[in-house]
Amino acid sequence: MYFVTLCLRGKAKGFSPLRFGTVVNGRMALNDAGRAAADCWRAIPAHFPQAVLDEWIVMPNHLHGIVMISGDGRGEKSFALAAPDGRPCGTSRTLGSIVRGFKIGVTKFLGGDSPWQRNYYDIIIRDARALDAIRRYIRDNPAHWDTLRHGEP
């Protein structure tokens, strides 16, 4: 399982940090772009059957989510496509390809240039205690929005 954070670019690139909506009374109020991001996130398993979504939230300028990649448990490389000689090739079944597909879907809805920061943040979730803490962090994120560095993730 991975805890993933994807961030929108800041004002320097012409994008508002409140692109997906606002936090009102400790709850996220999504705008059209935020609803599109939520729809694209929910659609991940339809495009990547090995992906299982857990807790997630779209925030004004970022998204937090937990993604489990199912399979044989040998790690990310075991999900790559195999060449005829059996060597892994491509990245169509990795966390990176899942994130890339999600970003493309949201970008298409918004039209124009990608609003995303180039990369993303991920943490491997190693045990149930960490999973519970991350789930709580995601659920509580809107309630703590005003106290988190003026709205930055």
Side-chain angles (χ1 to χ4, degrees):
M1 294 185 91
Y2 298 90
F3 173 42
V4 180
T5 301
L6 302 112
C7 298
L8 294 173
R9 287 191 222 159
K11 289 180 182 178
K13 298 288 185 182
F15 293 97
S16 166
L18 300 178
R19 187 82 172 167
F20 290 141
T22 59
V23 176
V24 178
N25 296 323
R27 294 182 58 116
M28 190 58 204
L30 297 174
N31 58 21
D32 288 343
R35 284 187 288 279
D39 290 345
C40 288
W41 189 260
R42 278 191 289 272
I44 286 173
H47 300 284
F48 299 91
Q50 75 282 6
V52 177
L53 303 179
D54 197 279
E55 196 80 36
W56 59 275
I57 190 161
V58 176
M59 293 296 293
N61 63 351
H62 66 285
L63 178 141
H64 291 301
I66 298 171
V67 179
M68 182 178 78
I69 300 177
S70 61
D72 63 10
R74 292 186 298 158
E76 191 170 275
K77 294 222 183 275
S78 67
F79 300 108
L81 298 175
D85 64 2
R87 291 180 302 124
C89 66
T91 59
S92 67
R93 299 179 74 192
T94 64
L95 180 62
S97 65
I98 292 167
V99 169
R100 183 174 52 251
F102 167 76
K103 285 182 173 183
I104 289 168
V106 175
T107 299
K108 283 182 179 179
F109 172 82
L110 297 176
D113 295 330
S114 172
W116 299 105
Q117 287 185 4
R118 184 171 182 264
N119 242 330
Y120 61 94
Y121 304 95
D122 67 285
I123 297 170
I124 296 171
I125 302 172
R126 301 200 181 273
D127 57 39
R129 190 169 136 208
L131 177 60
D132 288 342
I134 292 167
R135 284 175 174 156
R136 193 173 327 109
Y137 175 82
I138 291 170
R139 281 191 302 268
D140 294 345
N141 206 247
H144 299 291
W145 179 251
D146 290 332
T147 61
L148 294 174
R149 296 179 297 183
H150 307 288
E152 296 177 7

